[in-house]
Structure formats: structure tokens, C-alpha cells
Amino acid sequence: MDEYKPYLDERWDEGCTDAWKLWEEIIPLGYRGSYGIVGAYIRKKGRSPRPVIARPPAPRVVPKWILSRPESLTEIEHSGSRPSWPTAPSSTP
């Protein structure tokens, strides 16, 4: 089972948490163990903390980012959550 853990971990990180599906995927790779072993490994992973993934901004926040002057945004709004858009050249000399 140990040689299949990296594959199972990779698929888990991709969002596949169905032990049966994962077991079916590793059988063609040469796994000869039972479903129960794979199921126990996946159940154990289910209890471990998942990595924190940043949520996308709410739809009403994006127009504020686009329409606001950068200096008027808060530190949180300005630091990394806002995509960097190219600035248009100023129309005044």
C-alpha cells in the first residue's frame, strides 16, 4: 500500500475523496490489496485537516476594487487580494 500513497494523496489534493473510486484507479497500477485498506487510509485522511484554500472574492467586491483609487482601499483590499490590473494612461498632462 505504501507505494500507492503518493498517488492517493495527489488525487485527494485534487478533490477526489471517494475511496471506492480511488481503489478502482490504483488496481490497474498494480495494487492487489483490498478496498478496506484503501478505505481506512482515506477515512484517516478525512479526519486530518485540509489545507486552507483562499475563497474567491464576492462578486460585489470586484467592482469596488476596479472603480476605487488604490490609495482609498484598505490594507487588506490592497494586499494581494486584488488582481493587478494595468493602469490606463492619464488623460491629463
Side-chain angles (χ1 to χ4, degrees):
M1 171 70 180
D2 289 338
E3 66 184 274
Y4 300 98
K5 286 181 180 179
Y7 177 81
L8 294 172
D9 292 342
E10 181 181 333
R11 293 290 288 127
W12 175 270
D13 292 341
E14 291 172 356
C16 184
T17 58
D18 182 351
W20 186 265
K21 178 168 177 33
L22 293 170
W23 176 70
E24 288 179 330
E25 288 180 14
I26 62 174
I27 287 179
L29 301 176
Y31 179 70
R32 298 195 185 279
S34 70
Y35 161 75
I37 294 170
V38 175
Y41 181 69
I42 296 302
R43 278 191 301 278
K44 183 179 175 187
K45 286 188 74 58
R47 290 191 298 269
S48 65
R50 287 189 154 177
V52 176
I53 299 172
R55 291 182 15 197
R60 68 179 149 227
V61 174
V62 177
K64 179 183 177 194
W65 286 345
I66 295 170
L67 298 173
S68 298
R69 293 188 172 275
E71 61 272 7
S72 69
L73 297 173
T74 66
E75 184 64 33
I76 293 173
E77 292 171 331
H78 201 355
S79 67
S81 338
R82 181 180 181 187
S84 56
W85 298 96
T87 56
S90 177
S91 60
T92 58

